[in-house]
Every structure is written in C-alpha cells, then in structure tokens.
Amino acid sequence: MATDPASVLSLPKPAWAGDDVAMLYDMAVRFLEAEIAPRYEEFEKAEKFDRESWLKAGANGLLCASMPEKYGGSGGTYAHESVIAEALGHVGTDGFGIALHNAIVAPYILHYGSEEQKRKWLPRMATGELIGAIAMTEPGAGSDLQGVKTRAEKDGNQYRINGSKTFITNGQLANLIIVVTKTDPEKGAKGTSLIVVETDEVEGFERGRNLDKIGLKSNDTSELFFNDVRVPTANLLGSEEGQGFVQLMQQLPQERLLIGAQAISMIERALAVTIDYVKERKAFGKPILDFQNTQFKLAELKTEATVGRVFYDNCVARHIESGLDPVTASMAKYWLTDLQCKIVDECLQLHGGYGYMNEYPIARMYRDARVQKIYGGTNEIMKLLIARSL
Ligand SMILES: Cc1cc2nc3c(=O)[nH]c(=O)nc-3n(C[C@H](O)[C@H](O)[C@H](O)COP(=O)(O)OP(=O)(O)OC[C@H]3O[C@@H](n4cnc5c(N)ncnc54)[C@H](O)[C@@H]3O)c2cc1C
C-alpha cells in the first residue's frame, strides 16, 4: 500500500487538529481524489481550472471554511483552512487556487468589510460563484509595495481605477478582485487603499495573458488591466481611505503561514512517494533503499521534515490563539519553503532519471516548489523583516 503523506512523519496530531478539523481534512482528501486529481492533467494543459470545479468545491464545504456561518461559511478557524491547504498538497492538487481564495482573500472582506459588503460577497464566495484574487504586484512594484501606481480617484460616489497588475493568482477566473490602489499618491503608504472590483459588474477591466510559468501550471497567473474602471465608493475596504497598507501588513502573516502549510504538505508527499519508490526500484540486485546512502539521506530528510512540521504546527496554534506575529510568520514562510525546495530536490535525486520525467509526481513537485520562495514576499524580504526584530 502507498505511504500516506499524512502519517509519513510518525508525529502525534497537534491539539488544534481536533475531530471536526480531522473530519474536514478527510473530506477534503476524498473530494480532491475523486473530483480533482483525475482531471488534474487536463487543468495543467489548459493552464487553469474550470468554474465547475470551484462550484463543486463550494458544494462540498471546501470554500470559506473559516468564515462565519451567517455569511455562508462553515464557522471554522485557520485550522480548517490549514487542513484544506494540506489536503491539496498531500493529494498533489496544489494548483487549485482555493486556499488563496479562502485564507487570503475572504479574510480581508471579513475583517475590513462593512456588514453590507460581507453579506454581499462572502456567501457567493462560499458557493464558488465568486472566485477571489488579490492584486498587489505591478510590473514596477513587487517587493516594494509602496511603489504601487494603480490609481483610484474619487468621482462622485464612484472610484475611477487606472493601472495594471501582474502575476495575479486566479487572474483568469477571478471575478472578485481586491485591488491595491493609491487613493492619495502624495501620502505614500498612507495613501494606499484596498478596493474590491467585481469584474462582472464593470467596464474597462481586461485580463492579460495567462502567464507561461515553469511550474504550478494549472494555477492561472495573469496580468490585469484597469482602464477607467468605475466602482461604487462603497467598494472601499475599511471605514476610510488610506488604511490599505496597514490592512495588508495585518493580513500578510496568515498568507505567509498558509504558504508554510503548502510547503510542509508537499514535503510530506515528496517523502511518501520517495519512500515507496526506493523500496520498489532495484539497482545492483537490491532495492535502492538498501544502500546506506539512501537510508542516511532519507533519515536526514525525515528529521528535517519533522522539525519543520513541529514548527509549523506550533505557528498554527499561536495563530489561532492570538494571531501569529509577523516575524515568526516570516520565519515560517522563508524556512519552510527553503526546506521544501531542498527536500524535493533530494527526493528527485533518489528517483534517478525517472525523477526528471513528468510522469513521476516528484518531477511536478520540483517545478511547483520553486515559486514558494518568491511569492507572498520573497525569502530575502522575509529575512529583512526578521532582521528588524534583532
Ligand atoms: C506564480 C506567482 C503567483 C503570484 N501571485 C500573486 C498574487 O496573487 N497577487 C500578487 O499581488 N502578487 C503575486 N505574485 C507576485 C509576487 O508576490 C512577487 O513576484 C514577489 O513579491 C516579488 O516581487 P518581484 O517579482 O517584483 O521581484 P523584485 O521585487 O523585483 O525582486 C527581485 C529580487 O530582488 C530581491 N530584493 C528586492 N528587494 C530587496 C531588498 N530590499 N533586499 C534584498 N533583496 C531584495 C528579491 O528578493 C528578489 O530576489 C505572484 C508571483 C508568482 C511568480
């Protein structure tokens, strides 16, 4: 029987993974194995998912698990979002952009939206009718978010938005986009505001190319253009303009922790498939697991993965308790994604030439892992944030 990524590390379950969280994990794995994994190659080729998969995920309780029930969610916590992200990693369907929608986009609306905004958008995000994206990055502003140029000018009871964004996850499918804009360019960070654009409701919005990436093929990543896009001033997130930068800083720890979930779950899957492979594959008349190098290498990787998992679980416990501090969230993001790339690379090596063949899952993990060190704030920026706490 194939090694289960969920138990490859022989660790006890953390206290935050109680019965309802464990049930959600099992449900997510079953759903992804039945509905998404069989079609994954199709989505990889199309370089995006289809709306039907989103609606099915919604019908199966995998969207907005941590949003309150009165807004159509399941009333859970980050623990629930974590196990959905982990299920995606364990099943090998990490290109399905639901984790970003659930644990990154929806929380902005929950935390900063008015009652009316929450009632308007969250229930439709929970069904999958609205697909979320967050558009921060621009061609001239990535790490340096203060350099955002997209302009939102007030015109009566509307904002007129002009600018362009790039590298936006879910960009081809999203119809609810939180756009990072400048409402007052003179004020720098204090002139930044988050404005929701419901793309089905506006004119002047254009999707650019679905960008050609080296990995995460099924996850659409796009340029977006805003040409005199008009939205009601009621689409501003927060009670007044200029709060966008603070809102981003408050939400980025959860985004970074979520990237940690993606990292540790792929690490566990990489170990599971590699353990199975080295038991099967023979060289010099014996399974390659019998070579001491293979044993030592896997012993090292399992040890490192265990350290990573214990750290991640501890971060989740702290996050649920009182919100993870930005410095520890940066540590989790940088360290776990570095570890992910290292472990996946070493696991690929143990596959020999087969590891370089796309038909083996480790090959896709190798391509998909790389971007984890870049998005959500590069690992260099994470180190800058950590260094500031010294
Ligand atoms: C697949 C993918 C999906 C993405 N999804 C989204 C999304 O949904 N929404 C969104 O808004 N963005 C998204 N991004 C963008 C991502 O967050 C940015 O690419 C990232 O923040 C880095 O910005 P940049 O690409 O402009 O690199 P740059 O900022 O140009 O950085 C280039 C290099 O310089 C280094 N560097 C920059 N500043 C410093 C410094 N002060 N000190 C030391 N080194 C520094 C960086 O670490 C990096 O190595 C995505 C990117 C990718 C590739």
Side-chain angles (χ1 to χ4, degrees):
M1 225 175 79
T3 303
D4 180 6
S7 50
V8 72
L9 295 183
S10 15
L11 274 169
K13 285 274 161 242
W16 56 260
D19 287 349
D20 60 325
V21 173
M23 263 170 54
L24 180 64
Y25 172 82
D26 290 340
M27 207 176 80
V29 167
R30 277 200 307 274
F31 170 78
L32 295 168
E33 281 177 347
E35 299 287 347
I36 303 299
R39 296 185 58 202
Y40 203 71
E41 282 308 315
E42 181 192 322
F43 299 136
E44 287 269 292
K45 285 207 173 77
E47 303 199 350
K48 61 180 183 191
F49 270 71
D50 58 1
R51 290 194 165 271
E52 191 196 340
S53 303
W54 280 84
L55 295 171
K56 279 188 185 165
N60 281 273
L62 297 188
L63 299 182
C64 295
S66 61
M67 294 297 116
E69 288 176 23
K70 66 175 174 171
Y71 303 127
S74 311
T77 68
Y78 176 78
H80 299 81
E81 302 299 0
S82 179
V83 295
I84 292 174
E86 291 177 47
L88 288 163
H90 286 164
V91 176
T93 49
D94 13 16
F96 191 15
I98 61 174
L100 173 125
H101 168 97
N102 288 340
I104 300 176
V105 181
Y108 279 98
I109 294 168
L110 180 69
H111 294 305
Y112 310 115
S114 63
E115 187 59 27
E116 198 188 335
Q117 290 173 330
K118 289 185 234 191
R119 290 196 184 278
K120 185 170 177 204
W121 293 318
L122 289 176
R124 286 189 289 149
M125 288 184 78
T127 58
E129 189 190 329
L130 287 178
I131 296 177
I134 179 150
M136 306 180 218
T137 307
E138 298 182 357
S143 301
D144 179 14
L145 267 184
Q146 297 196 23
V148 158
K149 292 256 182 309
T150 298
R151 181 82 167 92
E153 281 170 285
K154 218 178 204 167
D155 185 0
N157 59 358
Q158 291 185 320
Y159 283 112
R160 203 172 70 229
I161 304 176
N162 279 290
S164 59
K165 299 286 179 182
T166 193
F167 299 151
I168 307 308
T169 300
N170 294 341
Q172 292 291 308
L173 290 179
N175 45 4
L176 181 144
I177 304 179
I178 299 177
V179 186
V180 179
T181 67
K182 282 279 167 63
T183 38
D184 188 346
E186 304 296 311
K187 288 194 184 155
K190 290 197 175 123
T192 305
S193 302
L194 307 187
I195 298 179
V196 173
V197 174
E198 260 195 89
T199 63
D200 300 336
E201 311 275 311
V202 298
E203 284 176 17
F205 168 75
E206 269 175 64
R207 300 176 204 273
R209 288 178 299 144
N210 190 4
L211 299 167
D212 182 13
K213 308 190 292 297
I214 62 173
L216 270 188
K217 288 283 187 188
S218 60
N219 191 220
D220 49 307
T221 308
S222 309
E223 300 170 316
L224 303 176
F225 302 103
F226 301 85
N227 306 310
D228 270 335
V229 171
R230 286 175 177 275
V231 299
T233 48
N235 284 20
L236 174 75
L237 286 182
S239 55
E240 57 186 13
E241 291 176 3
Q243 298 175 333
F245 212 76
V246 173
Q247 293 165 343
L248 288 168
M249 292 308 119
Q250 287 170 346
Q251 294 307 309
L252 282 171
Q254 177 155 312
E255 172 167 358
R256 291 171 180 156
L257 189 57
L258 185 77
I259 294 173
Q262 292 166 340
I264 195 67
S265 54
M266 185 190 282
I267 287 172
E268 289 163 344
R269 180 161 185 259
L271 278 179
V273 301
T274 306
I275 290 167
D276 290 343
Y277 184 80
V278 298
K279 286 179 180 168
E280 287 289 319
R281 173 74 178 166
K282 291 199 173 61
F284 299 95
K286 55 186 181 182
I288 53 176
L289 178 59
D290 289 354
F291 297 116
Q292 195 182 48
N293 175 65
T294 309
Q295 294 169 6
F296 278 17
K297 192 47 78 186
L298 283 169
E300 287 166 19
L301 299 184
K302 183 168 179 177
T303 306
E304 289 169 330
T306 301
V307 174
R309 172 49 95 169
V310 171
F311 177 45
Y312 174 74
D313 285 348
N314 175 269
C315 288
V316 176
R318 288 156 65 183
H319 188 56
I320 295 166
E321 180 71 27
S322 53
L324 192 62
D325 64 282
V327 172
T328 312
S330 302
M331 292 179 188
K333 196 272 171 181
Y334 124 67
W335 195 77
L336 289 168
T337 59
D338 269 9
L339 185 69
Q340 174 186 13
C341 289
K342 172 184 181 278
I343 290 186
V344 168
D345 181 53
E346 306 225 33
C347 285
L348 187 149
Q349 187 69 16
L350 289 172
H351 281 70
Y354 295 94
Y356 202 65
M357 299 298 131
N358 279 326
E359 66 193 272
Y360 283 79
I362 196 69
R364 183 153 58 71
M365 284 187 241
Y366 183 80
R367 288 190 277 106
D368 290 356
R370 187 60 184 84
V371 72
Q372 291 259 97
K373 298 205 269 190
I374 297 169
Y375 57 24
T378 66
N379 285 6
E380 293 74 30
I381 297 297
M382 297 304 99
K383 289 177 200 174
L384 274 182
L385 297 174
I386 299 162
R388 280 187 202 148
S389 73
L390 301 176

